Amino acid sequence: MSTKKIIIISSVTAVILCILAALYTGLSVYYADRFSYGTWNNGIYCTGKSVPEAAELLEAQYRENSGGCMAVTMEDGSVRQLDFEAIGLQYDFLQPLEALKAQQDPWLWFQYLFARDNRIAPVISMDEEAYERTYKK
């Protein structure tokens, strides 16, 4: 093989490798503050979303699925419907999503090519005084 052909093949190979390296680096930088490729949380596709964006989607799903109330077995064995608004119930997905995002290395985004669904439980809080007033009569 002539020297000219070797130089051309080497140059083309070098250019292709540089382009691939640039693409890989670009994706790694892109995923630095977003969920990596293939990230599903509670059935919601969160790839490319920031933690607050994903939290907003999960909270909307949670509100929609709960209908604003839930059945709870009380201390006396009776079952009551708890109204979220009446007791000031709030759920926050930010903390668990931040923990999940911290586990993802943006430079290893290729590991997430085979998607799996993460089960995320929210941090739940309520106004205990409102609960006492409403349900402890």
Side-chain angles (χ1 to χ4, degrees), residues 4-117:
K4 188 174 184 178
K5 284 184 179 180
I6 292 174
I7 292 173
I8 291 173
I9 291 173
S10 298
S11 298
V12 169
T13 303
V15 168
I16 290 172
L17 289 175
C18 286
I19 290 171
L20 290 175
L23 287 172
Y24 186 86
T25 301
L27 282 172
S28 296
V29 169
Y30 176 76
Y31 288 133
D33 62 347
R34 296 170 176 84
F35 283 106
S36 293
Y37 182 82
T39 302
W40 289 79
N41 297 319
N42 295 359
I44 294 178
Y45 189 60
C46 293
T47 295
K49 303 223 180 310
S50 66
V51 169
E53 290 170 334
E56 187 176 314
L57 290 172
L58 289 170
E59 288 168 11
Q61 178 194 46
Y62 211 72
R63 277 192 302 275
E64 183 180 306
N65 290 342
S66 69
C69 65
M70 72 174 139
V72 175
T73 303
M74 307 304 281
E75 294 154 352
D76 63 1
S78 65
V79 177
R80 286 196 171 166
Q81 292 289 330
L82 294 183
D83 181 1
F84 292 172
E85 286 186 30
I87 61 172
L89 187 93
Q90 297 178 349
Y91 31 88
D92 182 15
F93 283 95
L94 279 176
Q95 184 179 358
L97 286 172
E98 286 170 349
L100 177 65
K101 178 64 186 117
Q103 294 173 1
Q104 292 185 342
D105 184 345
W107 290 95
L108 299 176
W109 56 264
F110 60 87
Q111 290 181 337
Y112 310 107
L113 291 177
F114 303 103
R116 66 178 188 277
D117 195 7

